[in-house]
Amino acid sequence: MELFAIKDATVVRATGEVVFEHLSWSMRERETWAIVGPTGSGKTALTELLQGRLRVSAGSIAWPLVHRLRAEGRPIAWPSEIVARVGFKEESRLFSYGRHYYQQRFNFIEPDDDLTLGQFLHAGTSTTEEAIERVTTRLGIAHLRGLSFIKLSNGQTRRARIARALLGHPELLILDEPFVGLDADGRGEVADMLRQLVAEGTRLILITGSQTIPAWATHVLSLDDGRVTYAGPAADYRPIVETSASTAQASSGANPAEPIVVLRNVNVTHGGTQILRDVSWTVRAGERWALLGPNGSGKTTLLSLLCGDHPQAYANDIMLFGQRRGEGESIWDIKRRVGLVSPEMHLYFTEPLTAFEAAGTGFFDVLVKRATPSEQDERVRKLFAHFTIEDMADRPFARLSTGQQRIVLLVRSLVKDPPMLILDEPFQTLDAVTIARARLWIDDRVGADRTVIFVTHNEAELPTSVTRRLRLRAGMVIEST
């Protein structure tokens, strides 16, 4: 039996913008679909259509599943009442990043402003404590239920949102890139958990990369620029190997010897839990480091010290750009020397900006619009051209797909050509061609005197110029080469 059927549909947004033309796709009971495609291909828009948030102006979309449930007595007005989608960002009546600021992740939060993970899972539902214990244990976050939601890592937040969706018992669950931000063990655990859910009868649609389609997915829908390029059994799907016209080469030139980061026996504790343990690390100008380690190993906390965001920097022996923290420099003195892109920073872009304006905020290290002179505008245009996103410049940032937003924020980190570039999982949700372009820029366009710190769970995506490794586990350095 069919769950839904889209036939030769023209799909438009409320503004009249056409998203799909001649779209046809259907899903039947006991099918589990993986939706794949390059950045901006329409994957997220398709899930919006399934929730009834986009309009079909020609052709049709039918919901046999909704009709069957109504016949059983369920008062369903919209598909969104039975279709749950877990995307990149939590923005709801329970929690909005627009009501918080980035540094709150590392500071005390007033009780009236706080929302724990346990409260997030309980709010607005009739779920039992036993059900929460069961699902959070399955997802590996049961021990975090007393922690502030804002303090969860990217991977932990994703698991929390999957848990809340499951507690609502949706008829159809859509997971948008559920493996992003998870280390290899975490990806395996989530994939196994989802496999069990499918085996137990959960109807599931998964948006993921063409190389990470799980074995239990029965069908694949491939999109490219709003067009269906394949729709059929997963066993017959053959992903297109994307290549770049250029090959990235390692940067050349001798590295200057002066250290710009010196950490000596750094310790960070929060809520009685030690996050970093006796971490010592020296980074010299021009060095290219990979910061590695599983989820929860302390990488995000370490980066917050380097960016001036964490208050415990003042209680430790830390020198940044030749000056010890706490000797008179402001957070802005540090930030003007650092370009940053991270999944956590992405969450706080809530202002009404165009893509071009969002990229331009990188010159000022803020999240709101600032006027930019012509030379800065030209720098942004040059980067937009390199990443072939000129057509996005005037589009609202909030209406771009997650992958498109991530490209814009990568450009934001590059615009001021900073002495130190911190790239925290910069390639999440990006397609292979865009990743190749980004690696090319980092290897060939970022000067040899510029320092790069690159965080990833996948060493295969490292630019070739990244030759050094710092690896953390449980807050301790286990490799520094």
Side-chain angles (χ1 to χ4, degrees):
M1 291 186 294
E2 284 186 329
L3 305 181
F4 60 81
I6 306 167
K7 296 181 180 179
D8 197 28
T10 298
V11 180
V12 298
R13 298 190 184 278
T15 58
E17 176 192 355
V18 176
V19 182
F20 298 104
E21 290 184 296
H22 305 296
L23 175 67
S24 294
W25 177 41
S26 63
M27 179 176 178
R28 303 179 67 83
E29 293 284 9
R30 293 185 294 280
E31 292 179 347
T32 300
W33 284 78
I35 304 177
V36 302
T39 306
S41 60
K43 302 184 296 292
T44 300
L46 185 58
T47 68
E48 293 178 297
L49 173 64
L50 294 181
Q51 288 192 298
R53 304 187 192 284
L54 298 179
R55 181 169 60 88
V56 174
S57 63
S60 65
I61 178 170
W63 273 97
L65 174 61
V66 171
H67 297 318
R68 292 200 300 270
L69 294 174
R70 286 172 177 166
E72 294 171 4
R74 295 267 301 269
I76 301 169
W78 299 95
S80 58
E81 296 173 29
I82 63 165
V83 179
R85 174 182 172 269
V86 178
F88 169 71
K89 186 176 183 179
E90 174 68 18
E91 286 290 347
S92 66
R93 62 179 180 79
L94 292 178
F95 182 89
S96 171
Y97 289 94
R99 296 196 296 267
H100 297 270
Y101 59 92
Y102 179 67
Q103 284 77 17
Q104 273 186 297
R105 291 173 50 79
F106 313 108
N107 288 279
F108 172 77
I109 301 177
E110 292 290 343
D112 290 344
D113 293 333
D114 199 10
L115 176 75
T116 67
L117 170 58
Q119 291 168 335
F120 173 75
L121 296 175
H122 264 296
T125 71
S126 58
T127 190
T128 65
E129 187 65 26
E130 291 75 17
I132 290 178
E133 175 69 26
R134 186 165 55 251
V135 74
T136 54
T137 298
R138 176 181 278 182
L139 284 164
I141 55 172
H143 65 294
L144 302 174
R145 285 155 61 186
L147 191 65
S148 298
F149 189 87
I150 196 174
K151 294 181 182 296
L152 299 178
S153 71
N154 181 41
Q156 290 166 344
T157 300
R158 187 65 54 88
R159 295 185 191 211
R161 300 193 63 225
I162 293 174
R164 181 171 171 81
L166 293 173
L167 289 167
H169 304 290
E171 297 292 337
L172 177 61
L173 178 60
I174 302 172
L175 299 182
D176 193 343
E177 299 282 2
F179 306 124
V180 166
L182 301 179
D183 55 37
D185 289 342
R187 290 194 298 272
E189 291 168 3
V190 170
D192 187 58
M193 181 272 298
L194 296 178
R195 178 188 60 76
Q196 293 179 44
L197 288 176
V198 170
E200 293 166 3
T202 300
R203 303 180 183 98
L204 183 65
I205 294 174
L206 185 72
I207 298 178
T208 189
S210 60
Q211 306 301 322
T212 55
I213 299 171
W216 39 261
T218 63
H219 290 72
V220 173
L221 178 74
S222 177
L223 298 174
D224 190 0
D225 195 22
R227 296 177 294 105
V228 174
T229 59
Y230 178 83
D236 297 333
Y237 173 66
R238 299 294 179 268
I240 298 173
V241 178
E242 298 168 309
T243 60
S244 172
S246 303
T247 302
Q249 300 293 329
S251 299
S252 59
N255 288 337
E258 68 272 13
I260 63 171
V261 173
V262 179
L263 282 64
R264 297 186 180 93
N265 302 114
V266 168
N267 291 275
V268 173
T269 301
H270 179 77
T273 300
Q274 192 155 9
I275 310 300
L276 295 178
R277 303 169 184 265
D278 296 318
V279 172
S280 295
W281 186 27
T282 297
V283 178
R284 300 181 181 276
E287 291 182 342
R288 308 282 169 103
W289 284 83
L291 178 56
L292 308 169
N295 294 118
S297 60
K299 302 187 300 297
T300 299
T301 299
L302 179 58
L303 294 182
S304 71
L305 295 172
L306 305 189
C307 295
D309 292 315
H310 205 297
Q312 292 191 38
Y314 301 106
N316 281 283
D317 188 355
I318 297 174
M319 291 190 67
L320 299 176
F321 303 101
Q323 188 167 13
R324 192 180 189 281
R325 288 306 316 274
E327 292 186 348
E329 87 295 347
S330 73
I331 186 175
W332 302 109
D333 292 328
I334 296 170
K335 288 187 176 299
R336 67 183 176 83
R337 297 184 175 96
V338 178
L340 170 68
V341 63
S342 74
E344 289 76 19
M345 179 64 73
H346 187 172
L347 297 171
Y348 291 86
F349 267 84
T350 58
E351 293 294 315
L353 303 170
T354 67
F356 196 90
E357 291 166 346
T361 65
F363 289 109
F364 310 100
D365 308 304
V366 295
L367 308 183
V368 297
K369 181 181 178 180
R370 292 282 181 85
T372 50
S374 58
E375 61 270 20
Q376 291 181 342
D377 288 343
E378 181 57 32
R379 172 73 173 176
V380 176
R381 279 192 287 270
K382 182 178 181 180
L383 280 156
F384 270 46
H386 176 80
F387 286 97
T388 67
I389 58 171
E390 301 101 314
D391 61 324
M392 297 183 201
D394 296 325
R395 293 176 59 186
F397 180 81
R399 293 194 182 166
L400 300 178
S401 71
T402 299
Q404 291 170 328
Q405 290 179 351
R406 189 58 59 85
I407 299 173
V408 172
L409 295 184
L410 177 58
V411 168
R412 178 186 183 271
S413 72
L414 299 170
V415 291
K416 64 183 178 183
D417 189 25
M420 183 162 68
L421 189 60
I422 297 178
L423 305 174
D424 185 357
E425 295 282 1
F427 299 161
Q428 285 184 3
T429 75
L430 300 187
D431 58 68
V433 170
T434 303
I435 290 173
R437 291 191 182 109
R439 294 179 67 191
L440 178 65
W441 189 279
I442 295 165
D443 284 330
D444 287 0
R445 306 287 189 90
V446 175
D449 61 335
R450 291 340 199 192
T451 301
V452 175
I453 297 174
F454 195 107
V455 182
T456 182
H457 289 303
N458 179 12
E459 293 189 52
E461 69 183 19
L462 287 170
T464 57
S465 60
V466 176
T467 58
R468 307 205 62 180
R469 305 285 190 276
L470 184 80
R471 194 180 305 271
L472 299 179
R473 181 175 296 157
M476 297 182 290
V477 175
I478 62 170
E479 177 187 359
S480 182
T481 58

